Amino acid sequence: MSRRLFGTNGIRGVANRELTPELALRVGLAVGAYFGGGRLIVGRDGRFGSLMVQRAVEAGLHSAGSTIYDVGVMPTPAIQYAVKHFGMDGGVIITASHNPPEYVGIKVVASNGVELPREEEVKVEEIFFEEKFLRADWRGLGSTHRLSGVLDVYLEAVKSHVDVDAIRRRGFRVVVDPGNGVGALSTPRLLRELGCRVYAINSHIDGSFPGRPPEPRPEYLGGLSNAVRDVGADLGAAHDGDADRTLFADDRGVVHWGDRTFALLEREFLRENPGELIVTPISSCTIIEDVAKEMGGRVRWTRVGSVVVSHAMLETGAKLGAEENGGIFYGPHQPVRDGAMAVALMLDLLAREKRPLSELLDELPRYYIEKARVEYPVELRDAIMDELRRRVKGERVVTIDGVKVWFGDGSSILVRPSGTEPVYRLYAEGRTEERPKELVEEFRGMLQEIIVELRGGRS
């Protein structure tokens, strides 16, 4: 077995094949030892394998003497909020987020509700692999208690950050698509409490995700787009499987990537908080930097990964962060991705602006996006990137995660290795439709040329 247990966002695997009850039990033993027993919240998403994994994790936690507060099926951000609100030592969330239905996962969060940083994950992994488990005396074995009221506390916290009365006065019509995930518990209710007329699709929890894949991508959200147009809605919102991400559809039914809609929230935030820092991964569109410059803000680029963004916000005191995949981090609430909070912030913005979302988006700079992938020999992964760094030239080059190059015409391209398969992912953007295509072709050719050279001329 690999000496690495955690991936980009927790531990993931196919239920009962890769992430088995035996593995989950040992994870519970390691996490319980890491927290020294402790008081821990445990909750899960609606996947078929999640209850199995939760019970196995709980057995390990009980062995370590942990007191467990079970919140049942619940959105990930609600569980994270509860950990801090109720003063727990930490939490374990059983979720595979946006992964396909057969997957299940385990996330470990600290007392502040934020997932453990990499240096703390390493400590859990050391306990796991070296079996430095904490075995409680028979009289000190852990126990489980049901913790109720978590959703109530969480939604009240979300509403406390927006002008509820102003939103209610507008009487927005909103289509919400939780994608058969746990967002069905939170966002439709939040919208009703904000005085919206709610149209819900894919809103029953089903671990087979029959309505659409659990990852909210524009190409999967045709149902949301059509529903927005059919009912004349002001807004459409779609979540991933555990409801920590949101993609929005405007009043025309057009679905937008997260960094574009975030730019509107960023602009409003910086209007009220000039000079503040915005945190976002290097994979985000340059539009975030454009808005920051226009409004007198600053941008902190990070490596890709929501946990990286959260900890960068904690380190710098930043109040706002975002990812292009629909993750919005609102620090005054909690510095983690939060799908329901994103919906509330967007409605608050629309209530203030009193203009359609499509009109507001039309005012932003327009970027065209092109994506591609290039396979590489695993043994040459680092050598290829080193050579690419030597060759690239541009107005600005950033190498915190792969290589991102900006050019004088406002275009850019990011080349970074995938965290899950031996491919380089290419993300190009430009002010014209042709420019990102040109960049993708140029860098695809450069990568292929480097690979041939490093293999001694063999293609």
Side-chain angles (χ1 to χ4, degrees):
M1 181 180 289
S2 168
R3 298 293 290 186
R4 177 95 186 234
L5 184 64
F6 290 86
T8 306
N9 280 108
I11 303 164
R12 304 273 175 93
V14 175
N16 223 23
R17 194 172 77 202
E18 297 166 347
L19 214 173
T20 62
E22 295 89 343
L23 177 63
L25 170 63
R26 293 183 65 222
V27 170
L29 287 165
V31 172
Y34 171 80
F35 283 109
R39 301 166 68 246
L40 306 175
I41 281 181
V42 179
R44 67 183 187 276
D45 62 18
R47 291 168 180 268
F48 292 151
S50 290
L51 180 59
M52 173 190 74
V53 170
Q54 179 178 339
R55 293 294 180 251
V57 168
E58 286 177 339
L61 294 174
H62 282 158
S63 177
S66 301
T67 302
I68 296 170
Y69 295 86
D70 184 0
V71 301
V73 177
M74 193 69 58
T76 288
I79 300 172
Q80 292 177 286
Y81 185 82
V83 168
K84 183 175 181 180
H85 176 81
F86 290 103
M88 299 293 171
D89 296 308
V92 181
I93 306 171
I94 312 302
T95 179
S97 186
H98 66 281
N99 284 115
E102 64 271 23
Y103 280 77
V104 69
I106 304 170
K107 292 185 179 184
V108 183
V109 301
S111 59
N112 59 3
V114 180
E115 285 179 67
L116 299 183
R118 180 59 196 151
E119 57 268 24
E120 295 302 309
E121 290 178 348
V122 169
K123 295 178 182 178
V124 176
E125 289 171 344
E126 180 182 347
I127 297 169
F128 178 92
F129 289 113
E130 299 183 14
E131 298 189 348
K132 297 179 179 178
F133 301 137
L134 174 64
R135 304 288 189 179
D137 178 83
W138 66 271
R139 290 162 295 192
L141 293 173
S143 58
T144 294
H145 309 272
R146 179 70 181 178
L147 182 61
S148 59
V150 167
L151 199 59
D152 299 334
V153 167
Y154 165 68
L155 291 178
E156 286 304 312
V158 169
K159 290 187 293 184
S160 73
H161 294 287
V162 298
D163 190 336
V164 174
D165 291 337
I167 295 172
R168 285 176 176 159
R169 284 195 296 269
R170 291 296 306 276
F172 291 113
R173 300 160 73 92
V174 182
V175 178
V176 60
D177 176 6
N180 301 115
V182 289
L185 299 172
S186 52
T187 302
R189 175 180 161 185
L190 171 67
L191 291 167
R192 288 193 296 271
E193 292 179 4
L194 290 173
C196 299
R197 185 165 182 177
V198 184
Y199 304 85
I201 61 175
N202 302 320
S203 61
H204 64 286
I205 298 175
D206 187 331
S208 67
F209 297 96
R212 62 166 173 82
E215 182 174 13
R217 299 178 61 86
E219 58 265 34
Y220 301 155
L221 300 179
L224 176 72
S225 178
N226 291 335
V228 167
R229 289 193 293 264
D230 289 346
V231 304
D234 301 286
L235 183 69
H239 295 313
D240 61 339
D242 67 340
D244 64 357
R245 288 160 47 182
T246 307
L247 282 196
F248 291 106
D250 65 27
D251 48 288
R252 297 171 184 161
V254 178
V255 180
H256 300 268
W257 279 109
D259 40 10
R260 185 163 184 81
T261 48
F262 170 75
L264 293 176
L265 300 175
E266 175 194 12
R267 187 172 66 180
E268 183 66 21
F269 173 79
L270 290 174
R271 184 176 289 125
E272 298 184 357
N273 302 275
E276 285 282 351
L277 183 68
I278 308 299
V279 179
T280 195
I282 197 68
S283 56
S284 294
C285 180
T286 307
I287 194 172
I288 292 177
E289 192 168 66
D290 293 340
V291 170
K293 289 177 179 177
E294 174 195 350
M295 303 303 297
R298 299 167 292 131
V299 171
R300 163 83 175 266
W301 298 104
T302 72
R303 291 182 292 108
V304 174
S306 65
V307 182
V308 179
V309 175
S310 290
H311 284 280
M313 291 177 67
L314 290 172
E315 291 164 10
T316 62
K319 300 183 179 71
L320 194 62
E323 297 174 302
E324 53 90 24
N325 61 18
I328 291 179
F329 308 66
Y330 187 60
H333 172 53
Q334 54 179 350
V336 298
R337 299 191 297 202
D338 192 320
M341 189 72 249
V343 173
L345 289 170
M346 186 59 73
L347 289 172
D348 190 63
L349 171 70
L350 293 175
R352 294 185 192 201
E353 292 284 351
K354 298 183 174 62
R355 289 189 292 157
L357 179 58
S358 59
E359 185 178 317
L360 296 172
L361 288 167
D362 284 345
E363 295 175 353
L364 294 173
R366 175 68 181 177
Y367 282 90
Y368 295 88
I369 308 295
E370 190 74 19
K371 299 182 181 182
R373 46 188 277 154
V374 175
E375 295 182 6
Y376 65 84
V378 176
E379 70 276 9
L380 295 179
R381 177 183 183 271
D382 294 338
I384 295 166
M385 291 306 295
D386 288 343
E387 180 60 26
L388 181 66
R389 290 187 185 100
R390 281 192 286 270
R391 293 192 185 192
V392 296
K393 293 181 175 58
E395 186 176 77
R396 181 166 44 134
V397 179
V398 174
T399 59
I400 58 174
D401 191 352
V403 179
K404 186 162 186 175
V405 189
W406 280 270
F407 302 93
D409 60 358
S411 63
S412 70
I413 186 166
L414 170 67
V415 180
R416 62 181 294 271
S418 166
T420 58
E421 54 186 329
V423 299
Y424 293 115
R425 300 194 186 279
L426 283 63
Y427 308 81
E429 60 187 19
R431 298 298 181 90
T432 66
E433 207 165 348
E434 295 75 26
R435 180 57 172 154
K437 294 177 182 178
E438 293 170 357
L439 285 173
V440 162
E441 287 309 307
E442 177 187 346
F443 276 73
R444 194 204 317 263
M446 192 184 305
L447 284 169
Q448 291 169 341
E449 181 180 300
I450 292 171
I451 291 170
V452 169
E453 290 179 6
L454 290 174
R455 297 181 75 173
R458 293 176 290 110
S459 60

